[in-house]
């Protein structure tokens, strides 16, 4: 049998169609689920049957950015309110995750499971810390995957990059606002919940685009009320974000103009840093955003505008925020890494995370870069491949531990961001 | 023409397998109802107090149904678990061989690149062969190499992954500087690791990298077999050994590239940016 050119085209077409991932809802009518993971099943350093209990809600968006089922949002908000009022003085942790490229809200998506691991780890951490607080996870699904066939799926990068901008507004903006309000508002007779938003890859782009209006509004509100800035979420974390730096620049510029910059605390003094509003962190081993992303931007150049001119403008167009050296503000790594150790001789670390693996204690630190131009509450940094080896494998045990520890420490810091006094 | 037909059939089979096995992405979603256990099997210490009553669209909804542990329903062959699980089960080893070896996107791209390169060089051993034949031959050679590695890792009880996640347990910091990192790439080529139960810091064992040797050998032998009676030489042994050494060298180059991935990625990104101009 001879397979001609037409045959090969037919096979390719069949392969593509066979590997299509539909624009569909995966959690139709599904209630918020309460789950309990035995942490020892995925964390070999844990002994005994220690479980982390959390509840998990899904909110799914179609490829146009519309919610498949608005009741999913209602259920998620109801769960947030229930957790806040479950007992007097409750301070639950609400963690919202926007998944990345090649993922969706199905249980076949590894991001769903990685998020579950983070939630279980947070819940266990809270339990071991003495005061068991509830953990509520909200997984925001969108059509991150359109083709599942190998090789072919790699070419969806252009389309999904565009989709990440489209999905982010306007419904997503309102959705995030409602969730953040439910976690923080004073309508409920309880203390505000802890609200953390996490976005990965193109999900980071979705999240940043959707949450920027709320962050901007918070600065304007603080200016009007003449108070410190009360961010709508306690922390926004962008992991291996696949979005050009020029999209983050307006927010960074606004923060630089309005919010008092952090100053490097000398090692002989006391660390007194205001807490971050946004942390953008990418692995140096993330070839997708560091190596290929500029290539994608190059190919898309005839159809896209550069928002800033000059060499700096070109860097902002081609590089993601965390891979842009001029935007990076902190260094992150093991404390015995010479680069980190040297940075720590100039500035006191803002965060230190000690991960105990039995007899082994490994210390990681986030240290401000005294020479950084970016001194805003939008922290930008690299992380070594030992923590996250590549673009997609974000939920490694070490990174789960680090992120849980960093979230805890960042939130312990009560110091709020102050505004730069207005000119008379 | 026979070679050409075989290569075409191989390609068709490959694409068929690809579309039938949606590697690393979509698998049928697990209905929530499968995760939820009936109240009768709930443990006493975890009653339904987590359930909440919400209201949506005038409908009263049960907010949180109690679920035990969904972990057993996870897609063990999803790329994340293949990379992040500390120890791989037999099934995961098989998936790793198929997804990250035989059918990996990287392998297919590098096979295409190597085929195009061979067409430019057009060595006497391949003279007259078209793209499909060359691609099929190289792909088969690569598949044999990964299969050899798979078998070698089973025999020598090696972890088949380049940098297994449990290595973070090592108290020493990763090597810094060119020569220590170069040395680390050499060490990863000739040596391998295994984490024995219960996989704590003291359970990491070093193993001789038999998988790389068997992989290179399989590649060399397959290459010699596929190129038989071409190139004006009948010295099968010489070609097999030459192919084996080349494949072992490629394995080392791969480790080297993996070690210097951050620098390579930065260089690639800069080149794209420079090409785009300001």
């Amino acid at each position: 049998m001879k397979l001609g050119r037409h045959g090969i085209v037919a096979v390719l077409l069949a392969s593509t169609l066979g590997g299509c991932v539909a624009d569909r809802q995966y959690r139709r009518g599904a209630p918020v689920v309460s789950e309990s993971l035995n942490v020892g099943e995925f964390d070999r350093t844990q002994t005994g049957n220690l479980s982390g209990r959390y509840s998990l809600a899904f909110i799914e968006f179609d490829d146009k950015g519309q919610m498949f089922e608005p009741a999913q949002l209602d259920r998620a908000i109801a769960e947030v309110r229930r957790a806040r009022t479950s007992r007097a003085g409750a301070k639950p942790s609400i963690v919202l995750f926007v998944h990345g490229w090649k993922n969706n809200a199905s249980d076949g998506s590894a991001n769903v499971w990685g998020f579950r691991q983070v939630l279980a780890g947070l819940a266990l951490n809270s339990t071991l810390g003495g005061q068991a607080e509830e953990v509520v996870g909200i997984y925001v699904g969108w059509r991150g995957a359109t083709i599942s066939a190998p090789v072919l799926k790699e070419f969806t990068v252009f389309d999904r990059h565009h989709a990440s901008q489209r999905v982010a507004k306007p419904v997503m903006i309102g959705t995030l606002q409602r969730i953040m309000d439910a976690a923080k508002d004073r309508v409920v007779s309880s203390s505000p919940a802890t609200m953390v938003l996490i976005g990965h890859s193109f999900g980071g782009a979705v999240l940043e685009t959707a949450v920027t209006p709320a962050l901007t509004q918070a600065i304007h509100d603080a200016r009007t009320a003449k108070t410190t800035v009360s961010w709508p979420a306690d922390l926004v974390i962008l992991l291996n974000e696949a979005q050009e730096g020029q999209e983050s620049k307006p927010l960074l510029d606004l923060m630089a103009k309005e919010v008092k910059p952090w100053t490097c605390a000398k090692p002989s003094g006391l660390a007194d840093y205001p807490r971050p509003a946004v942390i953008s962190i990418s692995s140096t081993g993330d070839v997708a955003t560091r190596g290929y992303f500029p290539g994608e931007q190059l190919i898309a150049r005839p159809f896209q505008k550069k928002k800033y001119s000059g060499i700096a403008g070109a860097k902002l167009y081609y590089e993601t925020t965390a891979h842009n050296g001029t935007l990076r503000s902190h260094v992150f790594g093991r404390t015995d890494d010479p680069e980190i150790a040297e940075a720590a001789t100039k500035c006191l670390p803002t965060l230190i995370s000690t991960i105990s693996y039995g007899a082994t204690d490994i210390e990681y630190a986030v240290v401000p870069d005294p020479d950084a131009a970016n001194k805003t509450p939008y922290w930008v940094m690299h992380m070594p491949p030992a923590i996250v080896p590549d673009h997609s494998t974000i939920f490694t045990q070490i990174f789960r531990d680090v992120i849980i520890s960093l979230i805890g420490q960042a939130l312990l810091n009560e110091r709020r961001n102050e505004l730069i006094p207005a000119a008379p | 023409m026979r070679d050409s037909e075989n290569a075409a059939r191989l390609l068709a089979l490959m694409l068929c397998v690809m579309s039938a096995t949606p590697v690393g992405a979509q698998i049928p979603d697990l209905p929530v109802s499968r995760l939820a256990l009936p109240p009768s099997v709930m443990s006493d210490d975890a009653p339904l107090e987590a359930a909440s009553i919400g209201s949506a669209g005038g409908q009263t909804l049960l907010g949180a149904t109690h679920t035990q542990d969904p972990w057993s329903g996870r897609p063990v062959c999803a790329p994340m678990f293949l990379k992040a699980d500390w120890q791989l089960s037999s099934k995961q080893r098989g998936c790793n061989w198929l997804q990250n070896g035989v059918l990996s996107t990287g392998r297919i791209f590098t096979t295409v690149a190597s085929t195009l390169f061979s067409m430019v060089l057009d060595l006497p051993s391949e003279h007259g062969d078209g793209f499909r034949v060359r691609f099929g031959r190289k792909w088969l050679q690569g598949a044999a190499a990964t299969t050899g590695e798979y078998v070698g890792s089973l025999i020598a009880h090696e972890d088949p992954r380049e940098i297994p996640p449990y290595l973070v347990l090592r108290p020493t910091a990763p090597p810094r500087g060119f020569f220590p990192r170069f040395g680390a790439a050499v060490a990863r080529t000739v040596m391998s690791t295994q984490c024995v139960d219960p996989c704590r810091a003291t359970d990491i064992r070093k193993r001789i990298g038999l998988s790389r040797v068997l992989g290179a050998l399989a590649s060399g032998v397959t290459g010699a077999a596929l190129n038989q009676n071409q190139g004006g030489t009948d010295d099968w042994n010489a070609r097999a050994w030459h192919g084996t050494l080349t494949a072992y060298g490629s394995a080392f180059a791969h480790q080297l590239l993996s070690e210097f991935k951050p620098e390579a990625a930065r260089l690639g990104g800069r080149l794209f940016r420079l090409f785009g101009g300001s």
Side-chain angles (χ1 to χ4, degrees):
Chain A
M1 186 190 84
K2 187 171 179 178
L3 192 67
R5 191 168 292 173
H6 289 101
I8 291 173
V9 170
V11 169
L12 272 172
L13 199 65
S15 165
T16 310
L17 294 175
C20 261
V21 182
D23 184 18
R24 56 167 282 219
Q25 187 186 2
Y26 292 92
R27 311 276 172 176
R28 186 173 300 140
V32 176
V33 285
S34 173
E35 296 180 342
S36 174
L37 282 191
N38 180 351
V39 178
E41 283 181 300
F42 54 86
D43 181 347
R44 291 305 186 89
T45 61
Q46 296 289 345
T47 49
N49 286 323
L50 295 170
S51 292
R53 247 180 101 185
Y54 56 86
S55 51
L56 178 59
F58 288 85
I59 301 173
E60 295 171 86
F61 288 82
D62 67 15
D63 217 13
K64 295 188 184 78
Q66 300 294 320
M67 262 188 275
F68 276 110
E69 185 187 350
Q72 285 184 323
L73 174 61
D74 296 328
R75 289 196 284 266
I77 287 173
E79 181 62 12
V80 171
R81 292 194 187 285
R82 184 205 59 75
R84 282 182 68 185
T85 53
S86 59
R87 61 173 172 79
K91 193 170 173 57
S93 295
I94 317 297
V95 186
L96 180 141
F97 179 77
V98 187
H99 67 76
W101 184 33
K102 300 182 197 169
N103 279 273
N104 53 37
S106 79
D107 264 324
S109 173
N111 272 188
V112 172
W113 293 91
F115 185 48
R116 281 180 161 130
Q117 290 173 313
V118 170
L119 296 175
L122 273 171
L124 182 62
N125 218 30
S126 159
T127 308
L128 296 177
Q131 180 65 71
E133 294 289 0
E134 284 200 42
V135 174
V136 178
I138 301 171
Y139 186 95
V140 176
W142 60 287
R143 200 184 182 202
T146 50
I147 293 174
S148 63
V151 182
L152 298 174
K153 68 183 174 188
E154 310 300 333
F155 295 100
T156 62
V157 63
F158 304 99
D159 173 50
R160 293 302 87 197
H161 187 182
H162 183 60
S164 71
Q165 298 296 325
R166 185 175 62 234
V167 168
K169 45 192 164 182
V171 181
M172 181 80 81
I173 294 173
T175 302
L176 292 189
Q177 192 60 60
R178 280 190 64 192
I179 293 167
M180 291 187 293
D181 286 348
K184 297 284 180 192
D185 66 19
R186 298 184 194 285
V187 177
V188 181
S189 55
S190 65
S191 51
T194 297
M195 180 86 224
V196 177
L197 311 175
I198 306 173
H200 168 234
S201 179
F202 285 142
V206 170
L207 180 59
E208 184 172 23
T209 307
V211 82
T212 293
L215 294 170
T216 307
Q217 189 59 45
I219 294 172
H220 292 313
D221 289 349
R223 180 65 72 198
T224 310
K226 295 179 180 168
T227 57
T228 54
V229 188
S230 181
W231 301 112
D234 293 278
L235 195 58
V236 179
I237 302 175
L238 308 170
L239 301 174
N240 287 347
E241 187 194 12
Q243 171 148 268
E244 50 273 41
Q246 65 179 12
E247 300 299 330
S248 313
K249 190 76 168 57
L251 179 61
L252 278 157
D253 285 346
L254 179 72
M255 285 178 165
K257 189 177 157 217
E258 299 280 352
V259 183
K260 270 191 182 171
W262 52 260
T263 50
C264 170
K266 298 290 173 205
S268 53
L270 280 173
D272 184 25
Y273 299 109
R275 78 191 205 190
V278 182
I279 295 180
S280 178
I281 182 167
S282 289
S283 168
T284 52
D286 178 3
V287 180
T289 59
R290 204 178 191 192
Y292 299 145
F293 186 85
E296 186 227 327
Q297 287 291 92
L298 177 66
I299 294 169
R301 181 70 187 88
F303 315 102
Q304 289 182 164
K305 275 198 301 191
K306 274 196 300 183
K307 293 184 179 172
Y308 299 89
S309 58
I311 294 171
K315 286 182 83 174
L316 286 169
Y317 172 80
Y318 286 105
E319 294 173 344
T320 65
T321 306
H323 293 310
N324 187 311
T326 53
L327 301 182
R328 278 201 296 275
S329 59
H330 291 68
V331 289
F332 174 39
R334 283 172 67 130
T335 47
D336 54 1
D337 181 322
E339 188 195 357
I340 306 300
E342 194 200 331
T345 60
K346 296 174 186 164
C347 291
L348 273 176
T350 51
L351 301 165
I352 291 182
S353 165
T354 305
I355 312 292
S356 287
Y357 291 132
T360 319
D361 273 1
I362 302 170
E363 204 172 60
Y364 289 89
V366 174
V367 187
D369 176 0
D371 304 321
N374 172 18
K375 288 186 162 60
T376 67
Y378 191 137
W379 294 5
V380 182
M381 65 193 87
H382 267 156
M383 63 180 150
I387 297 178
V388 165
D390 52 40
H391 181 67
S392 303
T393 317
I394 51 168
F395 294 111
T396 58
Q397 176 165 336
I398 181 84
F399 189 60
R400 281 197 315 269
D401 291 349
V402 165
I403 207 163
I404 289 166
S405 170
L406 291 184
I407 287 174
Q409 281 198 49
L411 299 183
L412 275 178
N413 182 358
E414 289 294 331
R415 205 180 137 192
R416 302 266 167 189
N417 294 110
E418 293 170 21
L419 291 181
I420 295 169
Chain B
M1 285 311 289
R2 229 182 130 80
D3 280 349
S4 160
E5 280 177 34
N6 288 341
R9 277 185 203 159
L10 183 70
L11 183 68
L13 178 69
M14 207 174 77
L15 286 168
C16 177
V17 171
M18 279 180 197
S19 61
T21 317
V23 185
Q26 186 85 352
I27 67 161
D29 53 315
L30 201 63
V32 173
S33 57
R34 245 183 77 186
L35 297 173
L37 294 172
S40 57
V41 291
M42 284 177 202
S43 57
D44 288 335
D45 61 333
L48 244 174
E49 85 269 7
S52 70
I53 305 297
S55 175
Q59 219 180 351
T60 304
L61 300 158
L62 184 64
T65 43
H66 186 78
T67 308
Q68 202 74 354
D69 186 341
W71 195 242
S72 57
R74 72 189 175 121
V76 292
C77 285
M80 183 191 86
F81 291 119
L82 294 183
K83 285 188 179 166
D85 275 7
W86 283 31
Q87 285 167 306
L88 297 182
S89 64
S90 307
K91 183 183 176 184
Q92 284 178 307
R93 278 173 170 266
C95 290
N96 187 58
W97 164 69
L98 197 67
Q99 294 176 24
N100 296 326
V102 178
L103 292 177
S104 83
T105 304
R107 183 164 292 283
I108 290 168
F109 276 129
T110 49
T111 307
V112 168
S114 133
T115 306
L116 292 173
F117 187 63
S118 82
M119 292 187 85
V120 173
L121 285 183
D122 203 18
L123 293 173
S125 61
E126 293 184 299
H127 191 69
D129 291 339
F131 179 86
R132 283 182 287 175
V133 175
R134 290 176 192 230
F135 177 86
R137 189 186 291 138
K138 286 182 194 306
W139 185 81
L140 265 180
Q141 216 174 328
T146 52
T147 307
E149 283 183 14
Y150 171 66
V151 173
S153 72
L154 285 178
I155 294 170
H157 302 289
E158 296 171 47
D159 194 311
R161 297 168 292 185
E162 275 170 34
I163 305 175
Y166 49 75
L167 293 183
V168 293
L169 289 173
R170 287 178 170 172
T172 50
R176 282 184 70 89
F178 179 78
F179 289 108
R181 290 174 69 191
F182 186 89
V186 173
R188 278 210 306 275
T189 310
V190 295
M191 297 297 287
S192 193
T193 54
Q194 183 203 12
C195 201
V196 296
D197 272 333
C199 198
R200 302 198 194 289
T202 50
D203 302 322
I204 302 171
R205 307 272 188 272
K206 284 196 172 173
R207 296 271 180 257
I208 294 288
L210 181 69
S211 59
R212 312 246 188 272
V213 177
L214 280 192
L217 208 56
S219 171
V221 169
T222 309
L226 289 174
N227 285 302
Q228 218 159 8
N229 298 325
Q230 286 186 44
T233 172
D234 286 319
D235 191 353
W236 193 91
N237 280 338
R239 276 186 283 121
W241 281 115
H242 181 259
T244 300
L245 288 173
T246 309
Y248 200 74
S250 302
F252 168 65
H254 183 73
Q255 293 295 337
L256 204 60
L257 194 64
S258 172
E259 179 63 41
F260 290 95
K261 189 166 70 170
E263 288 79 6
R266 187 175 56 187
L267 179 68
R270 279 187 182 173
L271 286 176
F272 282 126
R273 179 161 57 81
L274 288 174
F275 196 68
S278 58

